[in-house]
Amino acid sequence: FVSEPVKVEAGQCYMLRMGIRAVEQQSSSRLQLNWFDISGLPLASTPAIIHVVAANPKWQTAQLEVVAPEDAAACRVYTAAQRGQVWLDEYSLRKLAGTCPPELMAVPNPVLIDGDHHRTVVVWDSHRASQSQIYLSIDDRQEEFFAEGESGAQPLENISPGSRYQFRLYESHDHRLPIQLLEVHGKKRAPQLEVNWPTPTGSGSPTLTWRTSNGLPARIYISKDGGAEMLFAEAPVGTETLQSIEPESNYEFRLYTEKSKTRPAEIVTIPAVRK
């Protein structure tokens, strides 16, 4: 999406709002503002403002507060999917009274620990003329320098499940009181087990899909009409077609992991259809 030029006043604070929704979790969209002078030419001295927004399957409102730079007379709004498939709804850009508050966020947050994906990106905009600094404290330990600048984006790798990451945004080198705080958490993705049915107008058999949270082997057992379990599949992730399902019988699929041992981590049931 690219908007028509929107008139702005240099030095004023503006809020950009837009509806956003994604197909899957862990998706994101990019909001971007490009500035132009009174002649309609891009401001060469001022880079575009880029803001990455987390998106999920529910509609939500993303917003971005910015200060129009010196010599800016207009701006254009650019939006695009950063990760995954994303839908965008109507946008608005309006002038705010007073100064813009500092912004500090992380995408994604919380961080779902899944295989080798242990990463988030911290995005900030202090809306201050001075070089702001960000310090990081992990599990309440001594804070350490993380990044600096009026605005920017910095990745953090190797997020651990259960740990608490607190980011503190300071104005310049004054560390007496942060002007903004942000907490990021990591958590393990829960094991998944589900049955996917063909569309009403489609043909074919249902499928069973599963995935473990840590990539370690899983065992899928099946029980028919309350009978003894039988091994159905063994793999950390997979999809199998259920070709021998009898409508008059009840089926229960049970996912076991190394952590769950003899207790199923997930259970899914296909109920019997009585005639």
Side-chain angles (χ1 to χ4, degrees), residues 83-97:
R83 180 180 182 185
Q85 185 176 355
V86 178
W87 288 279
L88 301 168
D89 203 356
E90 295 183 356
Y91 83 98
S92 65
L93 181 70
R94 64 185 180 91
K95 185 170 67 173
L96 300 179

Side-chain angles (χ1 to χ4, degrees), residues 33 42 78 107 149 211 236:
L33 283 173
Y78 296 81
V107 181
R211 182 188 185 95

Side-chain angles (χ1 to χ4, degrees), residues 96-232:
L96 300 179
T99 59
C100 289
E103 295 181 272
L104 182 62
M105 64 175 296
V107 181
N109 187 25
V111 181
L112 297 180
I113 309 301
D114 184 12
D116 296 329
H117 300 290
H118 304 172
R119 182 178 189 264
T120 190
V121 177
V122 178
V123 182
W124 76 95
D125 192 333
S126 64
H127 299 300
R128 304 292 196 275
S130 58
Q131 288 285 95
S132 301
Q133 292 187 329
I134 299 178
Y135 276 72
L136 168 62
S137 172
I138 303 176
D139 294 329
D140 296 320
R141 295 196 292 269
Q142 179 68 33
E143 66 178 20
E144 297 182 358
F145 175 79
F146 179 74
E148 67 179 350
E150 296 177 33
S151 62
Q154 180 76 21
L156 177 65
E157 309 284 350
N158 302 320
I159 301 292
S160 299
S163 290
R164 184 169 65 95
Y165 300 80
Q166 186 181 72
F167 295 88
R168 301 164 185 170
L169 176 62
Y170 294 99
E171 185 174 1
S172 187
H173 296 279
D174 184 359
H175 289 192
R176 288 175 297 177
L177 185 66
I179 59 176
Q180 193 63 273
L181 295 173
L182 168 69
E183 285 198 0
V184 174
H185 300 270
K187 65 178 184 179
K188 289 185 177 180
R189 185 188 294 272
Q192 297 175 323
L193 181 68
E194 61 182 5
V195 174
N196 301 297
W197 295 90
T199 61
T201 58
S203 60
S205 302
T207 59
L208 182 73
T209 301
W210 70 94
R211 182 188 185 95
T212 60
S213 59
N214 51 15
L216 296 177
R219 303 183 315 280
I220 312 295
Y221 282 82
I222 181 174
S223 172
K224 177 182 177 182
D225 294 327
E229 290 182 335
M230 297 181 59
L231 182 63
F232 178 78

Side-chain angles (χ1 to χ4, degrees), residues 6-9 11-19 31-33 35 49 51 61-68 75-77 90-103 125 127:
V6 180
K7 291 183 178 181
V8 298
E9 297 177 33
Q12 294 295 315
C13 182
Y14 291 84
M15 176 184 287
L16 170 65
R17 293 170 63 91
M18 176 170 288
L31 305 182
Q32 179 174 325
L33 283 173
W35 305 103
I49 294 178
H51 193 66
T61 300
Q63 68 180 46
L64 170 64
E65 294 176 353
V66 298
V67 176
C75 73
R76 279 183 184 268
V77 178
E90 295 183 356
Y91 83 98
S92 65
L93 181 70
R94 64 185 180 91
K95 185 170 67 173
L96 300 179
T99 59
C100 289
E103 295 181 272
D125 192 333
H127 299 300

